[in-house]
Amino acid sequence: MTYIIGIETSCDETAASVTKNGREVLSNVVYSQIDIHEKYGGVVPEIASRKHIDKIDAVVKASMKEADITCDDLSAVAVTNTPGLVGALLVGVNYAKGFAYAAKKPLVAVNHIEGHIAANYITNPEIEPPFVCLVASGGHSHILHMKSFHEFDILGRTTDDAAGEAFDKVARVLGLGYPGGPKLSRLAKEGRDDAIAFPRPRHGLDFSFSGVKTAVINYVHNAQQSGKEINKADVAASFQKSVTDVLVRNTIEAAEAVNSKIICMAGGVSANELLRSSMAQAAQARGMKLFMPEISLCTDNAAMISMAGYLNFMAGIRSPLNLNAVAQLTL
């Protein structure tokens, strides 16, 4: 049996998870800081780092207890070391290094984006590459052609604002607060998605959401300056439909370009209800199979890090105890 504990502190969730043979989740403990950062309208890096320090030991111990295993049972310690907020990452990396050293277990570094992709392997154990995967979150919008678990080509990427980032910025303009994405999606259910013709930019298979974000901001500001009342639900629904259409269009075209009949989604934005249903409809219409993580595994968690760590461990990948955190690292 291979037991891996995964540790995730890349942003504002302190998380730890133990998996058995990669795909069986024995524990998945997450401490969220949303309530703390909500009053600031977004994540404050210094506060996030300090909260990680406060909570990480308790979260890891709770994860081990829930999994009902001891340090002796572990095969390795996996930890997110890139990308993310560098202060937050450092908390997890340094804790994991101390844990691995004390337990005399190998240390395995995990790329956060690869972790999101690995969430699919937990929900859908039958999945194996090759396939095309859309990774959409607050900081990333990528389309990857996964040739194997560790080999991939980038078919498309964001050229400016990531999808989740655009959601958060538009939510802020509409006065919805933080976290913006889920609140905007809930409001969108009350509006018409064809009420306002926001742009659907095309840049090959790359993404550019800065333009549609700016279009929404201009629409709201022009209405305010002219004294017109706007229907926030219509704005939210029309914006969400614009972004969703682009994500679906580019992903389907990418899959067709490499003759892939399997599509996966990953990242926080993949929890969006409209995106999930729209991608499913588009995939079915073209005879493609769509896989998605369960909702709880779309946002930041440590089960996905443990799963990715398992794949790295089985591939013979090990990290030195002088492992550092890297805020930005390209795939």
Side-chain angles (χ1 to χ4, degrees):
M1 297 297 178
T2 303
Y3 296 96
I4 307 287
I5 184 165
I7 297 172
E8 157 65 25
T9 62
S10 65
C11 191
D12 60 339
E13 277 91 15
T14 312
S17 171
V18 177
T19 60
K20 175 182 174 182
N21 296 330
R23 301 180 194 242
E24 183 180 349
V25 179
L26 302 182
S27 65
N28 192 21
V29 179
V30 180
Y31 168 74
S32 175
Q33 302 178 21
I34 285 179
D35 291 344
I36 297 170
H37 298 284
E38 188 172 11
K39 60 184 176 183
Y40 300 106
V43 177
V44 181
E46 176 65 18
I47 294 176
S49 300
R50 290 179 179 275
K51 277 298 172 183
H52 285 312
I53 293 171
D54 289 344
K55 298 296 182 180
I56 188 167
D57 189 57
V59 167
V60 170
K61 287 178 178 176
S63 180
M64 293 286 289
K65 182 177 181 180
E66 185 178 320
D68 194 25
I69 65 169
T70 67
C71 292
D72 291 338
D73 298 317
L74 290 175
S75 303
V77 179
V79 62
T80 304
N81 79 309
T82 187
L85 301 175
V86 69
L89 287 167
L90 279 168
V91 176
V93 168
N94 286 328
Y95 186 95
K97 289 194 293 186
F99 190 121
Y101 178 79
K104 296 182 174 59
K105 302 296 179 179
L107 178 69
V108 180
V110 173
N111 183 299
H112 182 76
I113 300 175
E114 293 179 2
H116 275 303
I117 297 169
N120 280 285
Y121 309 142
I122 297 173
T123 302
N124 309 286
E126 70 273 22
I127 295 179
E128 288 191 3
F131 57 80
V132 165
C133 185
L134 169 68
V135 184
S137 66
H140 313 283
S141 295
H142 288 78
I143 303 175
L144 306 176
H145 181 207
M146 300 296 300
K147 296 180 175 180
S148 71
F149 288 123
H150 295 99
E151 182 186 7
F152 53 83
D153 291 330
I154 299 177
L155 304 180
R157 70 179 82 200
T158 184
T159 58
D160 41 57
D161 290 350
E165 184 181 4
F167 267 87
D168 286 340
K169 289 179 178 178
V170 168
R172 190 177 302 127
V173 170
L174 294 177
L176 302 181
Y178 174 85
K183 292 183 177 181
L184 187 144
S185 296
R186 286 194 291 271
L187 178 62
K189 293 180 179 180
E190 304 172 14
R192 290 175 42 229
D193 61 18
D194 61 349
I196 307 160
F198 290 129
R200 288 158 173 76
R202 178 180 286 278
H203 298 273
L205 295 177
D206 287 338
F207 299 110
S208 175
F209 295 115
S210 179
V212 62
K213 173 203 68 180
T214 302
V216 175
I217 293 173
N218 289 340
Y219 178 87
V220 172
H221 285 177
N222 289 338
Q224 290 174 339
Q225 289 171 0
S226 60
K228 295 180 180 178
E229 186 175 347
I230 65 168
N231 186 318
K232 290 185 178 181
D234 283 351
V235 174
S238 298
F239 164 76
Q240 178 178 249
K241 185 66 164 61
S242 174
V243 172
T244 298
D245 285 351
V246 173
L247 290 172
V248 172
R249 180 194 69 200
N250 287 20
T251 303
I252 294 295
E253 290 183 2
E256 291 175 337
V258 297
N259 297 314
S260 175
K261 289 296 183 181
I262 300 176
I263 296 174
C264 293
M265 295 201 302
V269 179
S270 67
N272 180 277
E273 187 177 324
L274 178 63
L275 177 60
R276 291 170 81 91
S277 62
S278 298
M279 191 73 79
Q281 291 172 7
Q284 183 178 28
R286 290 162 179 80
M288 298 175 180
K289 206 165 186 179
L290 174 65
F291 294 98
M292 300 174 285
E294 62 181 83
I295 298 295
S296 64
L297 295 178
C298 291
T299 53
D300 290 353
N301 64 88
M304 69 184 195
I305 302 305
S306 181
M307 175 69 223
Y310 167 80
L311 294 174
N312 287 351
F313 177 75
M314 297 304 289
I317 297 173
R318 305 290 186 271
S319 301
L321 287 177
N322 64 352
L323 177 71
N324 203 357
V326 182
Q328 294 183 342
L329 183 68
T330 56
L331 280 169

